[in-house]
Amino acid sequence: MDDEGRMENYLKRLEPTEEVETESAQKRKRERSVVWDHFKKSSDKAYGICNYCGKHLKTAGNTSNLLDHLKRLHPSRMTADKEPMPKTMATFLNKEPFYGSDSNVKKRLDKKVMDMIVKDVRPFSCVHDEGFVELMQEAVPRYKLPSRTYFRDVMLPTEYDLLSLKLRAALEAVKHVGLTTDLWTSAANEGYITITCHFITENFKLTSALLSTAPLMTPTNHNAQNIADSISLMLAKWGLLSKVVTVTTDNDSTMKKACDILEFKHLPCLAHTINLLAQDILKLAAVNVIISKCKRIVTYFKHSTIATAKLKEAQNTNEPLLLIQEVSTRWNSAYAMVKRILQINEYVTLTLLKLRNGPSPITNEELDVLNDLSDLLSPFHEATLSVSTNTKVSVSLIIPVIAEIHHKMNQVKAQLRTQEGKKIYVVVQKRLVERLDSFETHTIPRIATLIDPRFKKDGFLRSSNAEQAAEALELELLSLEPTTPRRPPTPESTLNEASSKFSFLQNKPKVKSTRADATRQFMENENIPDTCDPLKYWEMTADNELKLVAKKFFCVQASSCESERVFSLAGQTISDRRTRLKPEVVDQLLFLNKNRHFN
């Protein structure tokens, strides 16, 4: 072969063949990082988005940080990729692969874990707790627990959005809602405002919902305008600005002014007002001295395990009672402390006499004062319990409850044992008029009491206020579309309930309406027992104007206790160990917890 032929063969060997090019392309394809089986690229290619927890990570030209994320938070995913097991071998070894991300079983289990976190107020980190992981591995071996970031960043917002749609549908179906709201400071020293709404459904069921627990629009400012703006923003989100009947809050002047700015009717919380009255009583010199002594005794037992053990031993029972400490911010706690001391004072005294350096026992004279104090505080305790509910109609109880307190005070007066007790009684009567009697002049509780078939005009302390309530009801009826009034039947199924909570009604002469209007037939019917449910009554009544009024006014809450309950739950959510939760996460967790009944 000549030189030219050898050169041609040499050049042919240097040229890549089609077969070589194909092998090279396949090799490059195989060299694509396994990371992209677990991540997807963002639209601008700058981030990788985790398929399991939704976290966004910068790619920075390589996949090292993505791989590190998988190794730290999703190691099982990497293991499954590196060591695939043939199906026949997996079956032989009884080791089925984990449920895939699209598996319906996995989705149901993920939701159950999310529900557990919400219902039991558990931290998201509980999914990494060794005991819980072992339990799930034993119970459902094929289920791989997702990371806490997946539950926080993916599951929580998804569940919140789904439940929000259900609540929105329920709220769109009602015309009127009552609100409660209050402010609260978390363990992280962050200010929150909570808003709850209450409404009567088409089938006359009282329903409650938490709308929001979030920081104020301007967190550093707690003035009335900022509060009003924050409430307005949240109500606009839910389409409720035109549906609010009234807002129930504590007696704080800023809250009242915020309602004025919003042009909403404001109702002071009856439970909070009663607590203020009780605090007035406890500040009296004759009361403060003995209450302070009771606190010292309780504190001594709370701080001494020996004293507590001896107190239990002295009672000689399988269920010994312990003393209760009074906390000024906790309603009725002073009454609870006094009642418990009176209940087990004999054993407390025997125990203190056996111990060195203990406080002095309560004397017989002091015991008589405590008995008088207990009798005087008892009606207020019962009243607080009556109105601190969100499952039963409470607004129509406000005026009858206050009337019952007056009635019981007159009974207690004749039973007082001590001069100190009689002095306390005089102050109680004065404060009772100052703090509570104004409720009978509020339009909302007036109309609510009047259309409650248990009370009507008989529920009022003063007949003049009952007449003014009837006039307010007439104006309310005129604002409604006219319908043909029908005689409302009395639910016979409930008339057998004979017990009564309101003794002042038993001897009260019945007042009949003389007006020839839509309320006459209702007023002239006999009252149903006060233990019956007024919602059941109106549910069974033929449609008329009064039924529409009942649905409007019975949604109002007599107390802001529901907001207080949310804050109690929030205190568990934002605990000392979980102070770094973002406000948005707190809001979503509380929303899911309090609105579970809409699922």
Side-chain angles (χ1 to χ4, degrees), residues 68-129:
D68 179 66
H69 174 81
L70 288 173
K71 289 179 178 178
R72 287 187 297 104
L73 298 180
H74 313 293
S76 61
R77 307 289 183 178
M78 295 297 293
T79 303
D81 286 346
K82 290 180 179 178
E83 300 176 359
M85 182 179 293
K87 185 175 181 180
T88 54
M89 183 62 72
T91 303
F92 176 76
L93 295 176
N94 197 25
K95 291 184 179 179
E96 292 289 338
F98 289 125
Y99 293 120
S101 58
D102 295 330
S103 167
N104 289 330
V105 176
K106 184 184 185 309
K107 291 178 181 178
R108 288 198 301 269
L109 291 171
D110 286 348
K111 188 178 187 311
K112 286 297 181 182
V113 175
M114 187 71 237
D115 290 345
M116 177 199 72
I117 292 172
V118 169
K119 292 177 182 178
D120 299 339
V121 198
R122 299 291 303 277
F124 291 106
S125 60
C126 72
V127 298
H128 298 312
D129 290 347

Side-chain angles (χ1 to χ4, degrees), residues 300-301 303-313 351 355:
Y300 175 75
F301 279 95
H303 290 174
S304 173
T305 56
I306 295 175
T308 300
K310 288 186 176 294
L311 178 60
K312 292 179 179 179
E313 182 181 342
T351 303
L355 296 169

Side-chain angles (χ1 to χ4, degrees), residues 8 28 45 94 101 126 180 184 233 279 284 287 302 315-316 359 401 409 415 449 453 501 504 517 526 569 593:
E8 185 178 350
R28 285 196 302 272
K45 310 295 184 182
N94 197 25
S101 58
C126 72
T180 77
W184 176 76
L233 180 66
Q279 293 302 316
L284 296 174
V287 178
K302 293 292 183 182
Q315 295 179 61
N316 192 27
V401 157
M409 283 296 109
Q415 302 171 3
T449 301
K501 297 179 183 178
F504 81 97
D517 55 20
E526 185 178 355
L569 178 64
N593 180 283

Side-chain angles (χ1 to χ4, degrees), residues 301-302 306-324 339-352 354:
F301 279 95
K302 293 292 183 182
I306 295 175
T308 300
K310 288 186 176 294
L311 178 60
K312 292 179 179 179
E313 182 181 342
Q315 295 179 61
N316 192 27
T317 178
N318 292 331
E319 298 181 0
L321 300 175
L322 298 178
L323 296 174
I324 300 172
K339 285 292 292 184
R340 182 55 57 84
I341 285 179
L342 291 174
Q343 192 173 0
I344 60 173
N345 181 63
E346 176 186 354
Y347 307 111
V348 172
T349 301
L350 289 174
T351 303
L352 290 174
K354 294 178 182 179

Side-chain angles (χ1 to χ4, degrees), residues 420-593:
E420 288 84 355
K422 294 176 182 178
K423 292 178 182 178
I424 297 170
Y425 171 82
V426 173
V427 177
V428 170
Q429 285 289 76
K430 181 181 178 182
R431 294 289 188 272
L432 183 57
V433 173
E434 293 173 350
R435 290 200 179 273
L436 297 183
D437 280 16
S438 61
F439 278 95
E440 197 163 296
T441 64
H442 279 261
T443 301
I444 300 294
R446 270 181 171 179
I447 295 179
T449 301
L450 199 62
I451 60 175
D452 191 319
R454 300 171 294 179
F455 306 118
K456 304 177 186 178
K457 290 186 176 182
D458 300 327
F460 290 78
L461 187 64
R462 297 174 180 84
S463 58
S464 60
N465 287 329
E467 292 302 324
Q468 292 176 16
E471 294 174 3
L473 179 58
E474 288 181 29
L475 294 175
E476 183 64 32
L477 290 171
L478 288 174
S479 68
L480 301 175
E481 294 182 4
T483 60
T484 303
R486 303 176 187 177
R487 186 178 183 86
T490 301
E492 296 181 359
S493 61
T494 61
L495 294 180
N496 294 327
E497 302 182 42
S499 61
S500 174
K501 297 179 183 178
F502 298 92
S503 56
F504 81 97
L505 292 173
Q506 295 175 2
N507 300 320
K508 192 163 186 175
K510 301 302 178 184
V511 180
K512 290 191 175 182
S513 172
T514 58
R515 290 178 170 80
D517 55 20
T519 65
R520 185 185 60 189
Q521 294 181 15
F522 170 72
M523 293 298 173
E524 291 181 352
N525 281 342
E526 185 178 355
N527 293 6
I528 67 174
D530 61 74
T531 53
C532 297
D533 184 356
L535 290 178
K536 287 287 185 182
Y537 175 93
W538 287 112
E539 181 186 10
M540 298 168 61
T541 301
D543 291 342
N544 59 30
E545 296 98 328
L546 284 178
K547 189 168 185 175
L548 298 177
V549 175
K551 185 176 287 190
K552 175 180 178 179
F553 284 86
F554 282 173
C555 68
V556 176
Q557 297 294 290
S559 76
S560 59
C561 290
E562 188 60 14
S563 293
E564 297 283 345
R565 294 186 186 101
V566 173
F567 289 153
S568 177
L569 178 64
Q572 301 175 51
T573 304
I574 315 174
S575 61
D576 291 338
R577 298 177 60 187
R578 303 174 67 193
T579 57
R580 295 172 62 186
L581 282 178
K582 294 180 179 179
E584 181 182 0
V585 174
V586 173
D587 183 27
Q588 293 175 348
L589 283 172
L590 295 176
F591 182 89
L592 291 176
N593 180 283

Side-chain angles (χ1 to χ4, degrees), residues 133-148:
V133 172
E134 290 178 356
L135 171 65
M136 295 305 294
Q137 287 176 344
E138 181 68 24
V140 193
R142 293 185 59 191
Y143 175 59
K144 184 65 178 179
L145 273 167
S147 68
R148 65 178 179 180

Side-chain angles (χ1 to χ4, degrees), residues 273-339:
T273 307
I274 290 175
N275 184 59
L276 293 177
L277 193 155
Q279 293 302 316
D280 291 341
I281 299 171
L282 297 177
K283 291 175 184 177
L284 296 174
V287 178
N288 185 261
V289 173
I290 191 169
I291 289 293
S292 297
K293 183 172 183 177
C294 291
K295 286 182 179 181
R296 286 194 298 271
I297 292 174
V298 175
T299 301
Y300 175 75
F301 279 95
K302 293 292 183 182
H303 290 174
S304 173
T305 56
I306 295 175
T308 300
K310 288 186 176 294
L311 178 60
K312 292 179 179 179
E313 182 181 342
Q315 295 179 61
N316 192 27
T317 178
N318 292 331
E319 298 181 0
L321 300 175
L322 298 178
L323 296 174
I324 300 172
Q325 184 62 279
E326 187 263 348
V327 181
S328 60
T329 56
R330 190 176 303 160
W331 298 343
N332 295 330
S333 61
Y335 173 76
M337 179 183 70
V338 170
K339 285 292 292 184

